[in-house]
Amino acid sequence: MSYLFIQFLDTVHQNNADNYLPIGLQLIFAAGFVATMLALSAIVGPKRATKDKLATFTSGIESHGDARQPMAIKYFLVAILFVLFDVEVIFFYPYAVNFRELGWSGFGAVLMFVAFFLVGFVYIIKKGALKWED
Amino acid sequence: MTLLSLNIDWILLIEKLALIAIVVFASLGIALYTTFGERKVAAILQDRPGPNRAGPFGLLQPLADGVKMFTKEDIIPSSASKWLFILGPGLAMTASLMTCAVIPWGGTIELFGRTISLQIADINIGILYIFAVVSLGVYGIMIGGWASNNKFSLMAALRGASQAISYELAMGLSLIAVLMLSGSLSLGDIVKQQQAGWWNIVYQPLGFLIFFICALAECNRTPFDLPEAENELNFGYHQEYSSMKLGFYLFAEYINMIMSSAVMASLYFGGYDIPFVNDAELQTHLGNWVALFQVGTLLIKIVFFIFLFMWIRWTIPRFRYDQLMNLGWKSMIPLALVNMLVTGALVLLKMNNWHF
């Protein structure tokens, strides 16, 4: 795997700071545009705040408590699983860029990696990590 | 390293700034008229005239909507976290405006003796950059929904975030098959390769289908618009928002739609490649006009995809949440893995003249 990464880094090194300069420019441009528009619209609009207007909107029913309370653990689980699997997906990228040079032996290694990936995948499904209705 | 030695190429800087301004304002303008297009397409599909009062054929309607949104009262609920509440839509909009930096909008033009590329930044990790920026957009939804301190907003934001990250996995996997064909992560290279040979859609029909479905889910479009399911969640993650902040959330959605159409066109449909024509040969005859035609070609492809998004929105009902998650995890990810392995095996077989 380390060999793969060296190849991957090599292609990255051909880039220099010049290539990223326009992205920095665009970030300044976009963020500046957004900030200006938000500030302008806040100045231009009328300001007639009343207590009812600033209350949390829950379809006219008086709200009970606020949203600062625990939510379903399922979403958290999905986020954790995403991190796990996304890291594994990222490992495919250097392989995909170099796989012609690596030939069949590389393909065999990736088959093994996919098998490990699938073992984890089947495990979380069997454990019911992605089961939404109880 | 020119930045460090203070040896800045000023002409290049001005050229890039002009290009950025043109691309950003053009995508804003197209997004403005996409909202109009959406209402017209909905009207046609539902057999009614649609907006037709403001200007000829209602063409000034998006401008009227924009001005209205801009001059509305800016409400920040008293229980909300003020700064995060403002940061949410700002982040969503900034992220969606950042995507267009690596998309090749056309070939090169010759102006004042300089060859200008119509791609703002040709970095060799273009695809990874797009993924990174798209992931930042999730923060916009999440921060906005949490900062509103409204239970509906929070639920919608959680749904939106977990939906987006779930489909990002399958999206990343479906993309790997394209990268195997191209051997490069740079969008510019991928488009140039398609100019020389067939478009990637010929080799990757299944990969494109997976990518398209995931793009629908990433943009929170029907049938995956659960963060905005009004029958369950009132209005969605932007429930407490008003004025330009609400406008930015809605706008970011449309710009994301345009950019994902542009990415799909670049990855699978040859990007700015004019079909049935040898672009390089044409350039020797027509010069700069070719670049203009190429931009036009890409725009036509983008408009086609946007129409497809709208067509789907007004035809297919919304998924249930467990169905959405099952489709993403249990169908899309294995399918994308199989697609990747089959592509890899076939490419290697072909490379070895169909022998092991």
Side-chain angles (χ1 to χ4, degrees):
Chain A
M1 220 54 192
S2 63
Y3 164 69
L4 276 181
F5 269 107
I6 290 162
Q7 281 244 318
F8 192 52
L9 284 177
D10 267 352
T11 48
V12 174
H13 272 308
Q14 287 161 14
N15 256 3
N16 48 22
D18 285 5
N19 300 38
Y20 290 87
L21 189 68
I23 288 179
L25 280 179
Q26 181 152 10
L27 181 61
I28 296 167
F29 193 90
F33 171 79
V34 168
T36 317
M37 290 295 274
L38 282 178
L40 274 182
S41 90
I43 293 167
V44 167
K47 287 165 202 68
R48 285 184 286 274
T50 63
K51 194 168 162 292
D52 286 341
K53 203 188 272 178
L54 295 185
T56 309
F57 177 74
T58 41
S59 311
I61 306 166
E62 207 168 313
S63 64
H64 293 278
D66 58 10
R68 301 282 180 267
Q69 45 185 310
M71 280 297 293
I73 190 81
K74 285 283 177 195
Y75 296 104
F76 182 70
L77 202 57
V78 168
I80 292 288
L81 290 177
F82 163 74
V83 173
L84 268 179
F85 282 100
D86 205 37
V87 169
E88 297 193 19
V89 169
I90 287 297
F91 278 127
F92 287 123
Y93 277 82
Y95 169 69
V97 174
N98 293 310
F99 95 118
R100 278 169 213 264
E101 293 90 74
L102 295 171
W104 285 111
S105 65
F107 191 72
V110 160
L111 269 185
M112 211 152 71
F113 188 70
V114 169
F116 285 128
F117 183 100
L118 281 179
V119 168
F121 189 67
V122 170
Y123 175 76
I124 60 153
I125 287 175
K126 288 280 177 212
K127 270 284 179 185
L130 297 173
K131 206 161 153 255
W132 284 87
E133 71 278 38
D134 294 312
Chain B
M1 288 293 119
T2 47
L3 252 187
L4 294 176
S5 53
L6 287 175
N7 179 19
I8 300 172
D9 187 349
W10 287 106
I11 303 173
L12 184 76
L13 202 68
I14 292 165
E15 171 196 312
K16 289 293 180 195
L17 262 180
L19 195 61
I20 288 168
I22 291 169
V23 169
V24 166
F25 284 119
S27 51
L28 283 170
I30 296 171
L32 209 59
Y33 272 90
T34 311
T35 62
F36 175 71
E38 174 118 79
R39 294 171 70 180
K40 275 289 185 195
V41 169
I44 292 164
L45 291 179
Q46 293 165 354
D47 199 16
R48 57 188 173 84
N52 62 357
R53 285 285 171 260
F57 307 107
L59 273 174
L60 296 179
Q61 184 68 38
L63 295 180
D65 285 345
V67 170
K68 187 199 80 171
M69 213 139 227
F70 193 71
T71 53
K72 281 278 173 182
E73 182 175 359
D74 200 16
I75 300 170
I76 298 178
S78 46
S79 58
S81 318
K82 191 173 177 228
W83 288 108
L84 286 178
F85 191 79
I86 299 170
L87 183 68
L91 198 59
M93 187 69 182
T94 312
S96 66
L97 283 178
M98 287 298 290
T99 335
C100 54
V102 294
I103 292 169
W105 296 99
T108 52
I109 53 174
E110 304 265 350
L111 266 189
F112 314 117
R114 290 177 65 92
T115 309
I116 300 170
S117 163
L118 291 183
Q119 185 178 16
I120 295 173
D122 189 11
I123 51 175
N124 55 8
I125 51 158
I127 282 293
L128 288 182
Y129 170 82
I130 285 182
F131 269 64
V133 174
V134 166
S135 308
L136 275 182
V138 177
Y139 282 98
I141 292 178
M142 198 64 218
I143 289 175
W146 188 83
S148 304
N149 203 353
N150 180 325
K151 289 171 192 165
F152 289 116
S153 306
L154 181 64
M155 267 155 78
L158 282 171
R159 278 184 177 194
S162 53
Q163 166 186 337
I165 58 178
S166 297
Y167 278 82
E168 213 169 282
L169 280 179
M171 203 179 202
L173 278 172
S174 69
L175 202 62
I176 288 172
V178 176
L179 299 181
M180 282 175 155
L181 293 173
S182 67
S184 168
L185 288 163
S186 151
L187 274 173
D189 287 353
I190 292 174
V191 170
K192 273 180 203 130
Q193 283 170 4
Q194 293 179 74
Q195 266 184 323
W198 294 91
W199 290 354
N200 278 337
I201 180 74
V202 179
Y203 306 109
Q204 285 293 323
L206 181 62
F208 169 69
L209 196 66
I210 296 169
F211 194 90
F212 182 70
I213 291 170
C214 294
L216 279 178
E218 290 278 325
C219 297
N220 297 329
R221 295 287 298 185
T222 318
F224 308 109
D225 63 340
L226 281 116
E228 291 160 35
E230 57 282 302
N231 51 352
E232 299 163 13
L233 293 167
N234 274 347
F235 196 47
Y237 55 87
H238 38 46
Q239 168 145 300
E240 295 285 358
Y241 281 93
S242 66
S243 177
M244 209 56 205
K245 295 199 191 72
L246 173 66
F248 272 171
Y249 267 130
L250 303 178
F251 232 57
E253 193 183 310
Y254 280 98
I255 293 185
N256 281 338
M257 210 162 96
I258 295 168
M259 291 311 155
S260 56
S261 302
V263 171
M264 278 191 289
S266 300
L267 286 177
Y268 293 98
F269 286 86
Y272 56 78
D273 178 33
I274 308 170
F276 312 116
V277 175
N278 187 344
D279 292 24
E281 198 181 312
L282 207 62
Q283 189 129 26
T284 54
H285 298 301
L286 290 172
N288 283 345
W289 290 101
V290 178
L292 204 66
F293 286 135
Q294 285 172 334
V295 174
T297 315
L298 182 58
L299 284 182
I300 288 169
K301 287 171 189 173
I302 290 173
V303 167
F304 170 74
F305 280 118
I306 291 175
F307 175 71
L308 210 59
F309 274 71
M310 289 172 182
W311 192 4
I312 289 171
R313 170 163 179 183
W314 298 105
T315 312
I316 301 177
R318 185 179 292 133
F319 272 65
R320 218 170 53 210
Y321 199 71
D322 59 318
Q323 291 172 335
L324 166 93
M325 284 311 218
N326 279 343
L327 179 74
W329 283 87
K330 293 178 187 165
S331 311
M332 289 294 146
I333 291 178
L335 209 60
L337 267 179
V338 169
N339 183 44
M340 176 187 100
L341 291 178
V342 169
T343 309
L346 284 180
V347 170
L348 281 180
L349 269 178
K350 185 166 182 271
M351 212 170 72
N352 296 336
N353 296 321
W354 307 102
H355 291 294
F356 277 100

